[in-house]
Amino acid sequence: MTFLDITQIGFSNLWKTRLRTALTILGVVIGIGALTSMVSFGTGMQKNITDAFKKNDLFTSMNVTPGKINLESIQEGDLSGLSDLTKEKPFPLTDSILEVIRAIPEVEIAFPEETFAARIQFKQEELNTNVRIFPTAMQYYSPFNNLLAGQFYSSDSTRAVVVSWETLKNLGIYVEDPTYEFHFTHEDSLKGATIISPDSVLGKKIQIITASINPNIIRNPFGFLMGNRLDPFGEHTEEFEIIGITRRYDDFNVNRFRAGIYMPVVTAKNIPRLNFSSVWDILDSNKKDGTFSSIYVRVKEINAMTKVREQIEAMGAGVFSIADQLKEIKRGFLIMDSLLGAIGSVALIIAALGIINTMLMSILERTREIGIMKAIGGSENEIKLIFFVEAAFIGFIGAIFGLGLGWLVTRIANQIINAQLIPMGQIPVDLFYFPLWLIFGAMVFSIVISLAAGLYPAIRAARIDPVRALRHD
Amino acid sequence: MSQVNLESDIKVRNLSRIYSKASITIPAIHDVTFDIKKGEFVSIVGKSGSGKSTLLNLIAGLDKPTSGTIIFEGNDMAKMSRYKLALHRRFSVGMIFQSFNLIPSRSAIENIILALAFGGIPRKERKSIAVSLLKSVGLDHRLHHLPNELSGGEAQRVAIARALANNPEVILADEPTGNLDSITSKEIMDMLIKLNKEHQITILMVTHDKETAETCSDKIIRLKDGSIIRTLN
């Protein structure tokens, strides 16, 4: 008896009890549907986050800091590492260090990370925001290579800036974005809020007002005796042209360069401002003029990360990268996937009980037939195989339709979620993801579970006493 | 027929089959010894419960003896694995039952094809072999009928065709005419006699009909309460 014969016998048996077979398969369909939709939610979340990481090149970038920071101990709540940083002699990040880093062949781009706080004024509206000093080379990288409107500056000394969409929105300037639907409140409408095209912003002047130490106070500390204001801080206003608008951040966007305004390097140098630019400066009391608080480094490819990191650390500087956290993130996802998978598996286990039940019923009905098969020379293995084929078929068909059901359910769920998100002004997301391994894994899992469910009935069928079976009605 | 020149095909020695249920033991077969030679037509007669069918099942390898041995064509059946016993039923013996035991959901030809499939006959050849087998029992007009669409005689003829599918040397018939009227019974018996005489197939038939046994058998084994009380040659 060939395997094809066994398959034919199995199929004809299932066909004879179509309704019961269909109901048993339906159980598997629901089980696999539940399992795959659950797991696809986990994989979808993971994909969204890792994609966002990739989109922002977080896997290929690192930050060089003046000292080594034990991030793990900080995460555990031990902040002593931070105070050590202030006590220990820091490694000064100077221009020459920057040049050394730039000279590493695997380094694609390196520049000091600097931001400063400023107040901006545009069309009679004012807002506090932060200004990020960015080299022109960043125009080639995501998300700055794909602006909503206009372009990135191509000279480090131009008096032009790029403004974020959010900043304009916060200023009450609603720039049209095809992916976003504005919902104005009554108050907004009273103020005359309207949606404008990006072109009516581009080329316009924006005032950037910075706080600085009043040079008069430094020059003449007793100036107050001469009737000068006591305020040691002065304000400085400069005007720039808006030449580009960045795209709206979506929910999974972990753009670590978030800022209100992006400004060229040389232009920024000439703006008087308070001399701390990042959180590191506050912690680092030893920071001297002419040194940077942090250098952003991007490597050419992900595999070069470790090498470049080791080279920089050998100089005595500290290195921090999000990629270090990837292991932790992956572990978190593994736990989430396992949990979702376990919940989904419950449904499949119930389906497996359904298979056992169906098979045992089938054996009871076919006892005499099994007896006849044995009497005409059917071996135990052949009879076992017939039942295995039936179980595997239930599992296989169940998996195919189960994947279909899982997909359908996730599409509907995604539609419902997006229907809630879009009115809230969020970018539509795809929360579910069916990678190939999930599709094949579900198939294999379903067949394996079905075969396992068929094991006991198959053994029982094979061991039927033919003498009794032939007397069975 | 000179028995001296014939080699024994089946040797049954001190065979016993005791069924035990709870504390009660029922000896269905008790210390039975006999020989069946190649090409013999042997009938086992006796009343209901005398152990006739049990004896047949033991020789078929469907049941295992409590003690004693059956040497089938030189092989000790007690030493055969379950798989070897399946092969024994597949190739060495063909079985015919009182209640026909055809698979009800399969047509006449499909019932025979199933036996051919177990016998490892290539798929392409099965149909033509099945047709010629059914032709040989005069059923070439009933190929695609289901067992419940056939008369008793027709069903038993399908069963005979199936028993012959894998060219066995022995046919084990358990009351083959028990469910048939006298005319049909005679047809079936003629068919078995023909197989025995023309094709030298050994036949071991269980019956309670003394007259049938006497007209066609070379040897009659009479059983009572599981023991042989008489052997007629």
Side-chain angles (χ1 to χ4, degrees):
Chain A
M1 180 161 270
T2 63
F3 187 70
L4 188 61
D5 294 322
I6 285 167
T7 312
Q8 269 181 355
I9 295 173
F11 280 5
S12 78
N13 286 336
L14 291 175
W15 185 247
K16 264 181 265 162
T17 54
R18 295 183 271 290
L19 180 64
R20 195 168 62 199
T21 304
L23 289 172
T24 312
I25 289 174
L26 187 63
V28 179
V29 168
I30 292 166
I32 287 290
L35 181 70
T36 52
S37 50
M38 287 276 190
V39 176
S40 79
F41 176 69
T43 51
M45 292 296 282
Q46 190 168 358
K47 186 178 186 293
N48 281 318
I49 288 169
T50 47
D51 280 358
F53 271 39
K54 275 189 198 136
K55 204 164 89 187
N56 291 285
D57 301 299
L58 292 184
F59 293 135
T60 50
S61 49
M62 61 182 98
N63 271 75
V64 180
T65 55
K68 289 195 179 83
I69 301 153
N70 188 350
L71 205 75
E72 271 176 33
S73 62
I74 295 170
Q75 275 176 342
E76 283 159 16
D78 176 11
L79 296 176
S80 60
L82 288 177
S83 58
D84 285 350
L85 190 70
T86 59
K87 278 181 228 147
E88 268 175 38
K89 213 174 168 192
F91 179 80
L93 299 174
T94 59
D95 269 325
S96 56
I97 294 295
L98 182 60
E99 288 314 313
V100 170
I101 293 171
R102 278 176 178 160
I104 299 172
E106 288 84 3
V107 170
E108 191 170 328
I109 182 173
F111 60 86
E113 262 206 85
E114 284 182 283
T115 57
F116 61 88
R119 204 160 83 245
I120 55 171
Q121 232 175 43
F122 186 63
K123 292 189 173 174
Q124 282 87 51
E125 297 290 338
E126 268 197 13
L127 184 74
N128 287 317
T129 185
N130 60 334
V131 179
R132 184 172 278 275
I133 303 164
F134 241 23
T136 55
M138 283 307 280
Q139 67 184 296
Y140 304 115
Y141 300 108
S142 168
F144 306 102
N145 55 0
N146 181 23
L147 298 178
L148 177 67
Q151 64 209 5
F152 207 81
Y153 43 78
S154 51
S155 156
D156 277 332
S157 53
T158 182
R159 293 192 62 80
V161 291
V162 172
V163 183
S164 78
W165 182 90
E166 280 77 7
T167 304
L168 291 170
K169 183 168 167 265
N170 293 340
L171 280 166
I173 294 152
Y174 304 105
V175 176
E176 190 184 4
D177 178 347
T179 66
Y180 186 76
E181 208 180 311
F182 286 100
H183 291 271
F184 294 127
T185 60
H186 181 63
E187 202 183 326
D188 290 331
S189 307
L190 283 178
K191 278 196 213 160
T194 49
I195 299 161
I196 58 167
S197 97
D199 291 335
S200 54
V201 175
L202 293 176
K204 294 283 176 332
K205 300 285 181 194
I206 186 166
Q207 271 83 39
I208 297 182
I209 303 142
T210 51
S212 64
I213 305 286
N214 194 334
N216 290 333
I217 300 237
I218 295 164
R219 265 186 246 124
N220 181 9
F222 302 105
F224 67 94
L225 293 173
M226 296 153 77
N228 281 350
R229 281 175 61 211
L230 268 175
D231 189 356
F233 296 103
E235 275 192 354
H236 183 87
T237 307
E238 293 215 27
E239 204 170 57
F240 299 89
E241 184 192 343
I242 298 172
I243 68 160
I245 304 166
T246 61
R247 280 188 189 279
R248 196 156 63 90
Y249 303 124
D250 63 55
D251 288 323
F252 287 106
N253 198 324
V254 279
N255 181 7
R256 58 180 301 289
F257 295 121
R258 245 175 225 226
I261 305 272
Y262 300 93
M263 185 180 278
V265 177
V266 179
T267 311
K269 249 184 193 152
N270 300 323
I271 298 177
R273 57 179 192 270
L274 289 179
N275 200 21
F276 61 83
S277 52
S278 78
V279 65
W280 303 120
D281 293 353
I282 302 163
L283 296 167
D284 181 4
S285 55
N286 293 328
K287 185 177 180 291
K288 294 184 185 71
D289 273 357
T291 65
F292 313 115
S293 50
S294 167
I295 296 173
Y296 173 79
V297 177
R298 186 195 298 257
V299 296
K300 283 171 183 156
E301 51 158 8
I302 198 159
N303 299 330
M305 279 294 273
T306 323
K307 193 186 164 196
V308 172
R309 180 196 189 106
E310 279 166 3
Q311 253 174 290
I312 295 170
E313 278 177 339
M315 291 192 282
V319 175
F320 167 77
S321 76
I322 285 279
D324 297 342
Q325 303 300 301
L326 194 65
K327 218 193 264 175
E328 285 292 314
I329 294 168
K330 274 187 175 165
R331 203 172 67 185
F333 276 121
L334 191 71
I335 293 167
M336 185 167 100
D337 285 352
S338 310
L339 217 73
L340 290 169
I343 298 167
S345 296
V346 172
L348 199 61
I349 288 164
I350 295 167
L353 295 176
I355 294 176
I356 297 175
N357 190 25
T358 301
M359 294 286 212
L360 289 177
M361 284 275 281
S362 174
I363 289 170
L364 213 64
E365 286 170 6
R366 280 148 64 187
T367 299
R368 192 181 174 93
E369 190 179 317
I370 293 164
I372 295 170
M373 284 207 243
K374 283 191 154 187
I376 62 170
S379 71
E380 288 185 9
N381 279 342
E382 284 161 333
I383 288 158
K384 242 184 252 174
L385 263 179
I386 292 169
F387 282 86
F388 270 141
V389 163
E390 290 177 27
F393 180 77
I394 289 172
F396 178 70
I397 297 295
I400 289 176
F401 285 96
L403 279 164
L405 178 73
W407 184 81
L408 198 71
V409 166
T410 57
R411 286 305 92 199
I412 293 168
N414 214 54
Q415 287 290 322
I416 292 169
I417 291 162
N418 279 334
Q420 305 285 318
L421 281 180
I422 292 164
M424 286 161 65
Q426 308 287 326
I427 284 173
V429 287
D430 197 346
L431 288 171
F432 304 94
Y433 176 54
F434 279 85
L436 267 186
W437 68 259
L438 178 60
I439 294 168
F440 286 110
M443 289 265 207
V444 171
F445 191 50
S446 174
I447 293 171
V448 167
I449 288 276
S450 303
L451 283 177
L455 188 68
Y456 168 68
I459 290 172
R460 214 173 125 150
R463 288 287 173 89
I464 279 178
D465 175 6
V467 175
R468 275 194 206 171
L470 288 169
R471 269 191 249 124
H472 195 275
D473 284 322
Chain B
M1 222 181 270
S2 162
Q3 289 171 5
V4 187
N5 295 336
L6 283 171
E7 199 191 327
S8 283
D9 204 16
I10 305 165
K11 288 178 186 150
V12 177
R13 295 286 175 273
N14 309 107
L15 195 70
S16 291
R17 178 67 172 97
I18 297 161
Y19 291 108
S20 40
K21 222 174 194 181
S23 56
I24 313 156
T25 54
I26 305 150
I29 291 290
H30 179 66
D31 198 25
V32 166
T33 297
F34 63 91
D35 284 350
I36 297 172
K37 295 168 185 73
K38 249 191 183 102
E40 261 189 326
F41 196 125
V42 179
S43 293
I44 304 170
V45 293
K47 288 181 184 162
S48 295
S50 59
K52 310 186 294 286
S53 293
T54 305
L55 185 57
L56 206 70
N57 288 335
L58 287 167
I59 294 167
L62 288 171
D63 200 357
K64 284 217 160 201
T66 312
S67 65
T69 53
I70 302 167
I71 311 291
F72 194 100
E73 290 175 347
N75 299 312
D76 187 350
M77 285 181 65
K79 288 178 185 160
M80 288 185 189
S81 63
R82 287 201 295 268
Y83 179 64
K84 281 271 169 63
L85 287 173
L87 293 183
H88 167 76
R89 292 191 294 272
R90 188 180 296 178
F91 296 114
S92 304
V93 300
M95 294 198 80
I96 303 167
F97 305 90
Q98 179 178 2
S99 52
F100 324 128
N101 277 335
L102 298 173
I103 293 176
S105 57
R106 291 174 167 263
S107 66
I109 191 165
E110 283 169 348
N111 263 285
I112 291 160
I113 284 173
L114 182 68
L116 292 167
F118 279 124
I121 306 291
R123 293 176 75 83
K124 284 181 213 158
E125 297 168 28
R126 289 177 199 162
K127 204 176 167 187
S128 61
I129 296 173
V131 170
S132 66
L133 279 167
L134 284 169
K135 215 177 228 175
S136 72
V137 294
L139 280 181
D140 45 338
H141 60 296
R142 306 293 250 174
L143 299 179
H144 301 290
H145 285 68
L146 289 172
N148 63 10
E149 294 165 342
L150 300 170
S151 70
E154 285 170 335
Q156 196 59 297
R157 279 190 276 168
V158 174
I160 292 171
R162 182 181 64 183
L164 295 169
N166 293 310
N167 299 313
E169 285 166 48
V170 180
I171 281 189
L172 304 172
D174 191 355
E175 307 246 19
T177 59
N179 275 359
L180 304 174
D181 60 68
S182 58
I183 298 165
T184 321
S185 291
K186 190 165 183 311
E187 279 172 19
I188 295 296
M189 283 316 300
D190 289 347
M191 206 169 270
L192 290 176
I193 292 163
K194 194 179 162 195
L195 283 172
N196 177 247
K197 300 289 178 243
E198 290 180 12
H199 301 277
Q200 280 76 51
I201 293 174
T202 311
I203 293 181
L204 181 58
M205 180 178 76
V206 162
T207 182
H208 59 262
D209 183 359
K210 232 163 59 177
E211 211 175 303
T212 310
E214 279 163 6
T215 52
C216 63
S217 309
D218 299 318
K219 185 193 270 179
I220 297 171
I221 297 166
R222 193 176 295 276
L223 282 180
K224 193 184 177 189
D225 300 329
S227 301
I228 297 177
I229 50 166
R230 215 168 147 193
T231 304
L232 286 173
N233 285 312

